[in-house]
Amino acid sequence: VKVALYGPGQLGTSVARILSQRRGIEVLGPYGRDRRDDALRSGADVVVVATTSFLTAVAPDIRLAVESGSNVIVSAEEAAFPWAVDAGLADELDALARERGVTIIGGGLNPGFAFDAFVVTAAGPSANVSSIRVQRIVDLSGFGETVLRRIGVGHTPEEFAAGTSSGAITGHIGFPQSMRVVAGALGIALERVDREISPLFAEREHRGRHIVVPEGRTAGFEQRYLGIVDGNLWFEALFTGHLDPVSIGKPPRDEIWIEGDPPLHYEVVPGFNAQSGSSALIANSVRRVAAAPPGWLTVADLPPAAPSIEPERPHEREQ
Ligand SMILES: NC(=O)c1ccc[n+]([C@@H]2O[C@H](COP(=O)([O-])OP(=O)(O)OC[C@H]3O[C@@H](n4cnc5c(N)ncnc54)[C@H](OP(=O)(O)O)[C@@H]3O)[C@@H](O)[C@H]2O)c1
């Protein structure tokens, strides 16, 4: 399988590293903006776009890769369920992918697994599900500065308030996408998704790998998204991101509560690693995306992302 990567940042680099160690996979890139065509027009079996979070920014890249005959995996959070952002654009690219016989999928760890694919699987042992609650507490200290500032870290109280109201500060992106993936898999009509974000101010200096945050600025944030069905809370998603979550009494963890028959509670300790988890999930999606039916699919349409390798052939072992 030939895989070309566009976006030479943290994610693209580590996905390339994982794949280059796998038998049967040829890796091209990761390429940056100056070598866009080498990635997107490569005609590789799978093109991985690991650049930004936003659908409108990645759409031209997806279009070019699909027109060149490649299946596409996109890390952009909004691409996990693009109809939640721009249904016209999502339908257009879905139709193009079907016409060209290739698959587009948006995914990573979150969205792509923690709040959606994993939740769908977790609901399997329950005969009926009445509501779902998920919670992630994430150590943000390994994130790059650009991403940290955009999600809400390193700001004064005034900057945080202005940024969240203008949309320049986004918090973690992808909750509505995850909720819609789960709703689709369970056959639920989601009415709307409500949201809140609040700052967590540093009570002392915090040092991440790429940022230093003095006392009084945001060292993290809390988000609460509420998915409403028939006027009632159906899906609650809580996300705490902090440069040192242990220091605020919240060690990293992932939890899922399924209210149903029977009720279920899952805990992942110390939680999925945001960086290594995302790169593994994307690397582990290459084979399932190459084998998937055409169109813009969601992670709920695919078999699980497994770290599968091409079986060793006997004659290779003898050499
Ligand atoms: N779904 C998930 O679970 C998941 C997981 C991890 C990451 N992500 C998302 O995936 C994206 C990449 O993550 P990362 O950690 O690798 O970020 P990163 O370290 O900041 O790297 C992003 C790379 O993409 C390039 N880039 C940014 N915008 C671009 C554009 N519009 N066109 C072409 N190249 C562009 C950047 O180059 P320049 O320096 O030239 O801008 C940089 O090389 C982020 O938006 C992140 O939020 C999603």
Side-chain angles (χ1 to χ4, degrees), residues 26-234:
E26 184 187 343
V27 178
L28 308 175
Y31 297 118
R33 299 172 195 264
D34 56 335
R35 295 191 62 187
R36 181 172 182 259
D37 279 2
D38 290 335
L40 304 177
R41 284 191 203 266
S42 60
D45 301 292
V46 178
V47 166
V48 175
V49 177
T51 53
T52 89
S53 300
F54 305 104
L55 179 65
T56 49
V58 292
D61 301 334
I62 296 171
R63 191 176 290 117
L64 189 54
V66 167
E67 282 170 347
S68 305
S70 298
N71 298 290
V72 185
I73 302 175
V74 196
S75 72
E77 288 85 346
E78 288 188 350
F81 192 86
W83 294 272
V85 182
D86 185 337
L89 183 55
D91 282 341
E92 179 212 318
L93 290 169
D94 174 43
L96 182 66
R98 284 170 201 275
E99 188 194 308
R100 301 296 166 114
V102 297
T103 309
I104 308 169
I105 185 103
L109 175 68
N110 187 17
F113 186 76
F115 281 179
D116 38 59
F118 188 48
V119 175
V120 172
T121 300
S126 206
N128 296 293
V129 172
S130 52
S131 65
I132 295 166
R133 182 163 178 253
V134 296
Q135 177 169 30
R136 295 198 76 205
I137 302 172
V138 179
D139 183 338
L140 301 177
S141 60
F143 284 53
E145 183 171 359
T146 312
V147 172
L148 282 174
R149 292 207 175 270
R150 197 253 298 150
I151 64 179
V153 174
H155 301 286
T156 63
E158 298 74 25
E159 285 166 1
F160 189 86
T164 48
S165 72
S166 74
I169 292 175
T170 60
H172 174 74
I173 297 176
F175 298 85
Q177 282 73 18
S178 289
M179 287 184 184
R180 292 199 184 273
V181 167
V182 177
L186 271 57
I188 299 287
L190 195 58
E191 235 167 74
R192 63 173 202 279
V193 179
D194 298 337
R195 58 184 180 156
E196 294 164 11
I197 181 167
S198 40
L200 294 169
F201 294 109
E203 291 176 2
R204 58 167 174 80
E205 181 182 275
H206 283 284
R207 285 178 175 270
R209 204 178 302 155
H210 306 286
I211 198 171
V212 178
V213 171
E215 184 186 337
R217 288 187 171 237
T218 50
F221 53 87
E222 283 184 319
Q223 285 172 281
R224 187 166 175 251
Y225 274 64
L226 307 173
I228 308 294
V229 172
D230 291 334
N232 298 311
L233 179 59
W234 174 72

